[in-house]
Amino acid sequence: MGAGKTTLGRALAVRLPRLTYIDLDEEIERHAGMSVSKIFATYGEKVFRTMEADALRDVASLSNVIVGCGGGTPCAEGNMELMNRCGTTVLLSARRPTLLRRLLEAQAQRPKLNGMSADEVAAYIDSALAERAEAYGKAQYSFPSDRLENEAEIEASCRFFIRKFLPGARS
């Protein structure tokens, strides 16, 4: 959460038109006919995670896609193994201060963070990263995502990502 998956994924898709960016949360919202926040409020996290696993299975069969999944997606049983089997997994890693700033800026759109103080959000980051470390450690690669704050940084990050993971692609 807050690592820049949507920013980087959309930017890569613009630079690489043969690839389509799929935001897993947007897929869930489209299928459910309601926002992630509404799903959480109405049905709870357990139902959301089931919907998320279903959506992940659906997109796993597609080709030429970049999938941005939620921060909790890799943690559900079997999800990370499915992702590793069906594609290349890249963990976007941002430093804690970057994550905190980004999450505070977009707090209203984050159902799990709604109403938290800055200290509570910081504590959430620490506990979520510790809790998710094992699942995140199963990613095939890691990519630094602190530099996605403006067009120049996004452009440089895209070039670096393409060189590192998609060397045959043209941007």
Side-chain angles (χ1 to χ4, degrees):
M1 190 186 302
K5 297 176 297 289
T6 301
T7 299
L8 183 60
R10 286 192 173 134
L12 287 167
V14 166
R15 287 156 180 82
L16 301 168
R18 66 177 180 83
L19 297 178
T20 301
Y21 174 70
I22 298 174
D23 182 293
L24 201 59
D25 283 348
E26 290 175 2
E27 284 294 300
I28 294 165
E29 290 175 342
R30 190 173 56 77
H31 287 303
M34 65 177 74
S35 69
V36 169
S37 297
K38 181 101 171 148
I39 295 168
F40 265 78
T42 305
Y43 301 108
E45 184 173 1
K46 186 175 180 180
V47 169
F48 171 77
R49 295 298 175 196
T50 299
M51 296 170 88
E52 183 178 58
D54 292 343
L56 181 63
R57 279 191 299 279
D58 289 345
V59 302
S61 65
L62 302 175
S63 299
N64 298 319
V65 295
I66 298 169
V67 179
C69 63
T73 307
C75 303
E77 187 174 335
N79 282 357
M80 198 64 203
E81 292 75 14
L82 174 65
M83 289 187 278
N84 280 330
R85 228 181 12 259
C86 295
T88 302
T89 53
V90 181
L91 171 69
L92 297 190
S93 58
R95 293 172 300 139
R96 186 178 180 273
T98 302
L99 291 173
L100 180 59
R101 182 183 45 73
R102 288 178 182 167
L103 292 178
L104 289 173
E105 287 172 358
Q107 190 171 7
Q109 291 84 35
R110 309 284 185 174
K112 289 185 111 177
L113 305 180
N114 234 347
M116 286 186 184
S117 69
D119 288 342
E120 290 170 325
V121 173
Y124 172 80
I125 291 168
D126 294 339
S127 72
L129 288 175
E131 179 182 308
R132 297 170 176 180
E134 183 179 346
Y136 287 4
K138 294 176 184 175
Q140 296 162 343
Y141 301 98
S142 182
F143 184 80
S145 61
D146 289 290
R147 297 183 43 84
L148 295 170
E149 304 304 317
N150 57 53
E151 282 305 314
E153 288 183 1
I154 292 169
E155 180 62 35
S157 291
C158 284
R159 282 195 313 270
F160 180 46
F161 189 96
I162 291 166
R163 273 195 318 274
K164 187 168 181 169
F165 303 114
L166 306 165
R170 298 234 193 295
S171 61

